[in-house]
Amino acid sequence: MAQPLSIAVAQPRCVAHDVTANAVAHAEAVRAAGARVVVFPEMSLTGYELDATPVTPDDARLAPIVAACAGTGTLALVGAPVTGPRIGVLALDGDGARVAYGKVHLSRGEAIHFVPGEPAVIDVDGWRLGLAVCRDTGVPEHAAKTAALGIDGYVAGVVHAAHEAGLHAERARRVAADHGVWAATAAFAGPTGGGFDHTSGRSGIWSANGDLLAGTSTDPDETARAVFTK
């Protein structure tokens, strides 16, 4: 039987294109969360800047996050443009970083700059976590293909406008109802690129029954945490 899994969603403040400053903010969020897994928003390391330079796993600027993960035993799932180029998820722990996922369902504007990835799952202490980025969560086929790989939870990083905050719960509850898994969504808080002057915040974690277990407000620098057992 897998041990309980503590998971947190974080929405650190972000400076456009400043990976150095943003990595420090991510490290602070990792330490504040006190969770085995911390999920961050879409492109959280650079901001939602479609012309941002891809971040490679060996980038020295990631060192503060790696150090924070080493000190807390955390796996951080960080949003960043990655080689491909893709809108990606970097998985960081105390040993370093790797590319874990590339966004599958790109918007028209994103497709000018990036190529799509494929559904992916990561294993954490016997828990299988399906990965998603923003628009993926609104495509039922994405959750279905990811669930077909065998998952316990569906975790996503998103950038939503302030008036779209309700999408988190709506989509999480749909995934829970369709596949019987819990869902965690880390949403951008504070201004970012792409016309997102006012983002939604309100990251959340939902049970397999669709109940909100933990959530944040609209403000940057908040985290929310829940623990799952099986």
Side-chain angles (χ1 to χ4, degrees), residues 52-114:
T53 302
V55 179
T56 59
D58 61 354
D59 193 315
R61 295 173 295 178
L62 298 175
I65 309 175
V66 173
C69 290
T72 57
T74 297
L75 174 71
L77 299 175
V78 173
V82 298
T83 301
R86 292 185 170 88
I87 296 177
V89 175
L90 289 169
L92 293 92
D93 59 19
D95 294 324
R98 65 182 178 88
V99 176
Y101 178 70
K103 185 177 185 178
V104 175
H105 297 281
L106 303 172
S107 70
R108 184 175 300 176
E110 292 167 349
I112 296 171
H113 301 271
F114 301 99

Side-chain angles (χ1 to χ4, degrees), residues 17 21-22 25 29 39 45 48 62 69 72 95 97 99 104 110 120 131 133 135-136 152 155 170 199 208 220 222:
H17 296 282
N22 295 333
V39 185
L45 265 181
Y48 186 75
L62 298 175
C69 290
T72 57
D95 294 324
V99 176
V104 175
E110 292 167 349
L131 303 179
V133 174
R135 191 166 182 261
D136 293 336
D152 301 295
V155 302
E170 174 188 329
T199 55
E222 291 191 10

Side-chain angles (χ1 to χ4, degrees), residues 165-183:
L167 285 178
H168 310 342
E170 174 188 329
R171 294 175 177 180
R173 289 175 179 135
R174 187 203 70 224
V175 171
D178 289 350
H179 305 291
V181 299
W182 51 265

